[in-house]
Amino acid sequence: MELIYEKSRNGRTGVDFPLLDTPLQETLSEKYLRKEKASLPEVSELDVVRHYTVLSKLNFSVDTHYYPLGSCTMKYNPKATEKVAGLESFNIHPMIPQLPSGENFTQGALEVLYKSEKLLEEITGMDSMCSQPMAGAHGELVGIMLVAAYHKAKGNKKKTVIVPDSSHGTNPASAAMAGYEIITIPSLPNGEMDFDLFKEALNNEVAAVMMTCPNTLGIFETRIKEIADLAHSFDTLMYYDGANLNAIMGKVRPGDLGFDVVHINVHKTFGTPHGGGGPGAGPVGVKKKLIPYLPVPLIGKHTDGTFFLDYNHPESIGKTAPFYGQFGVLIKAYAYILLLGKEGLIDATEKAVLNANYLMKKLKAHYDLPYDRTCMHECVFSAKNQLQHKVHALDIAKYLIDQGIHPPTVYFPLIVKEAIMIEPTETESKETLDWFIDIMIGAAEKAKTNPEVLLNAPFTAPISRPNETKAAREINVNYFFKK
Ligand SMILES: *Cc1c(COP(=O)(O)O)cnc(C)c1O
């Protein structure tokens, strides 16, 4: 295809695609052309507007409701970053032709990716970063594939990956997908991984230790340095699940704690509206010894300051995402980091931790607190005390919907019976936290005096409480709507 430089019809200077301007009849073979017009359903504009407006009002979102969903960091997402991601100059087709002389049409995009990777390296204390992975779990898989490539190149015979029993389910799943057997280490009564059992389990066959720090109980692993040093003595690599980076950014760097590979859930820490599985991005950062195996293309920088897609890494594990991953999400993360600046990120971390400790102190007289110690950005209660009134964590979660609050994470982490995992986030006001605390205290009171209000909740939501088994087996949206 020949590139034609000229003012296109909308007046912008750009590239024309002659093929796209040719009528279809001239480019498609006769046998693919319709003989008659397609019969498409006809609806009035008003019907369409009503349909989508009703659908949009069924949403529970950070913009409409308080959303203290533990582990997922549903913080407020500044609209400024949305605006940046929506700039017309970033609205580039991923297959925009690359000139033999370089990537002249995508210099700005490559520069954003390059600079955001540099910032993430600084925040995590890693030597190199790759933004290809398209979610946290995808980052885990890529990270463990890097671990595998490292051991293979060194001729190490490694078969297993160690995870603590507080770990997110995606950790063992990613390691298993990369071909490893999983060894699970129990947690101590103080919420940290049992160091002695870890020491016993560690041997020359362990490829990596996957840790979240602070862990999913919201507790900082105080022996993390010792764990990393011991692991390294067996050439076992340390993997950092960065989902909880919101608790430490600007304060502590995983790289300084001894981690060799990290993934960051930029959609959690750096403000992108997410939920229901996306959209997200899971950039992976590594220490020097793992750089040769990073996915290609990486973003390179020429000495003249221009950027290029760098495929020249013969030991790379290959391509792990189409094009360059979730570009829109990565722009938002970059804009967010620049918007807050270093002081702003530190401030966010401090407030996230302060808010979680405030909630924890205020609620612990009303709910069982299995790990009663200073928490980081989230705290985990148990509805154990409410069980005597036949009220479960799920009932409290459903009751919160009636109060206009998105339920916290329940039944995770798995090691806490009837878990209620609350992550307030730094973006909520003290008034909102106090309002939420009152409602949670009210729920604990109602469990004693009027459990029906909890057991049959939600009453106000447009959908009633589904029979979970039936809902999983019969996928029919109408089943949920109140008649
Ligand atoms: C969210 C989360 C993940 C998975 O990240 P996704 O972006 O949802 O794929 C992994 N570990 C922890 C601790 C998490 O909270």
Side-chain angles (χ1 to χ4, degrees):
M1 192 198 306
E2 200 185 330
L3 300 175
I4 303 165
Y5 303 87
E6 59 166 25
K7 287 240 176 211
S8 63
R9 270 172 302 241
N10 62 14
R12 278 189 301 146
T13 309
V15 185
D16 262 15
F17 297 89
L19 211 56
L20 294 182
D21 289 335
T22 316
L24 270 185
Q25 296 90 306
E26 291 171 31
T27 53
L28 283 179
S29 133
E30 183 66 26
K31 69 176 174 191
Y32 296 122
L33 296 175
R34 287 181 191 282
K35 302 288 174 290
E36 284 157 29
K37 279 196 168 167
S39 106
L40 299 172
E42 298 267 343
V43 266
S44 74
E45 179 173 323
L46 177 58
D47 285 338
V48 172
V49 167
R50 283 200 184 131
H51 175 73
Y52 285 106
T53 307
V54 167
L55 279 187
S56 75
K57 289 202 284 192
L58 295 177
N59 276 344
F60 238 94
S61 71
V62 177
D63 283 357
T64 54
H65 298 86
Y66 182 37
Y67 214 125
L69 189 67
S71 209
C72 295
T73 315
M74 299 294 282
K75 61 168 74 172
Y76 173 66
N77 308 289
K79 300 298 165 256
T81 66
E82 298 285 321
K83 202 160 181 186
V84 173
L87 289 176
E88 202 184 346
S89 39
F90 286 134
N91 188 2
I92 32 185
H93 195 281
M95 287 177 80
I96 192 162
Q98 309 288 315
L99 295 185
S101 57
E103 283 73 23
N104 284 324
F105 299 118
T106 54
Q107 278 302 306
L110 293 179
E111 184 174 349
V112 165
L113 289 171
Y114 183 88
K115 289 186 171 167
S116 65
E117 288 177 356
K118 290 283 160 256
L119 286 175
L120 295 178
E121 283 164 22
E122 199 179 322
I123 290 168
T124 56
M126 290 288 151
D127 296 321
S128 191
M129 208 81 205
C130 169
S131 314
Q132 261 184 42
M134 299 171 84
H138 190 194
E140 290 171 31
L141 178 62
V142 170
I144 293 295
M145 285 165 70
L146 296 173
V147 168
Y150 167 87
H151 289 308
K152 191 170 170 210
K154 287 191 79 178
N156 289 346
K157 302 263 176 289
K158 306 272 192 185
K159 289 190 204 149
T160 56
V161 165
I162 288 181
V163 298
D165 65 356
S166 62
S167 77
H168 195 263
T170 50
N171 290 188
S174 301
M177 273 187 80
Y180 290 107
E181 279 164 42
I182 311 302
I183 299 173
T184 306
I185 308 293
S187 300
L188 290 166
N190 71 3
E192 298 187 33
M193 181 168 81
D194 188 323
F195 186 80
D196 295 335
L197 290 181
F198 165 70
K199 207 167 162 182
E200 251 173 59
L202 194 61
N203 57 44
N204 275 321
E205 292 195 338
V206 182
V209 183
M210 292 181 92
M211 307 265 304
T212 315
C213 188
N215 63 28
T216 62
L217 296 164
I219 287 169
F220 195 87
E221 298 276 356
T222 54
R223 300 185 77 173
I224 194 68
K225 248 335 236 144
E226 279 173 86
I227 292 169
D229 289 345
L230 195 62
H232 288 147
S233 70
F234 289 88
D235 206 8
T236 295
L237 299 183
M238 291 294 295
Y239 185 96
Y240 184 83
D241 176 335
N244 291 344
L245 194 64
N246 211 51
I248 62 162
M249 62 178 170
K251 292 276 180 185
V252 182
R253 308 192 311 166
D256 300 334
L257 295 174
F259 286 95
D260 305 290
V261 199
V262 314
H263 84 257
I264 306 168
N265 307 59
V266 291
H267 46 293
K268 295 180 181 173
T269 309
F270 302 121
T272 291
H274 68 281
V284 165
V286 294
K287 287 280 177 64
K288 262 194 191 70
K289 58 188 171 198
L290 289 158
I291 293 178
Y293 316 109
L294 281 173
V296 285
L298 293 167
I299 312 295
K301 188 176 180 182
H302 291 300
T303 43
D304 69 356
T306 56
F307 301 92
F308 65 106
L309 292 175
D310 183 2
Y311 284 91
N312 189 18
H313 294 272
E315 290 180 89
S316 163
I317 59 167
K319 211 161 172 359
T320 56
F323 306 110
Y324 206 80
Q326 299 272 42
F327 183 50
V329 173
L330 296 166
I331 301 173
K332 283 180 218 175
Y334 181 59
Y336 181 90
I337 294 169
L338 294 184
L339 193 66
L340 268 70
K342 187 177 174 186
E343 295 309 316
L345 292 183
I346 293 173
D347 187 52
T349 300
E350 289 177 353
K351 293 207 170 96
V353 173
L354 179 65
N355 285 356
N357 279 283
Y358 180 67
L359 275 178
M360 187 182 79
K361 290 252 153 52
K362 292 276 182 180
L363 289 178
K364 75 182 202 184
H366 307 272
Y367 292 91
D368 177 64
L369 182 65
Y371 303 95
D372 187 1
R373 55 186 283 196
T374 304
C375 67
M376 296 296 286
H377 66 314
E378 60 196 0
C379 54
V380 182
F381 288 98
S382 161
K384 221 163 87 183
N385 297 342
Q386 283 70 37
L387 274 187
Q388 54 181 310
H389 311 292
K390 304 218 169 8
V391 169
H392 291 77
L394 185 72
D395 303 314
I396 294 163
K398 300 292 182 191
Y399 170 79
L400 289 176
I401 297 175
D402 279 341
Q403 307 304 314
I405 294 169
H406 191 285
T409 298
V410 288
Y411 300 107
F412 176 76
L414 302 176
I415 52 173
V416 175
K417 194 177 169 197
E418 296 291 328
I420 302 179
M421 183 192 207
I422 304 173
E423 180 175 359
T425 80
E426 72 278 10
T427 50
E428 299 297 335
S429 65
K430 181 165 177 296
E431 288 74 17
T432 300
L433 297 184
D434 285 335
W435 168 70
F436 173 69
I437 289 163
D438 284 346
I439 288 172
M440 284 297 288
I441 293 173
E445 290 304 316
K446 291 210 169 65
K448 290 183 215 156
T449 56
N450 186 10
E452 292 305 310
V453 179
L454 301 159
L455 296 174
N456 295 320
F459 292 95
T460 56
I463 58 173
S464 45
R465 191 189 300 202
N467 171 333
E468 313 252 327
T469 316
K470 196 164 181 220
R473 292 192 179 150
E474 288 173 29
I475 300 179
N476 178 359
V477 175
N478 292 327
Y479 165 71
F480 295 99
F481 288 93
K482 283 180 176 158
K483 294 287 173 310

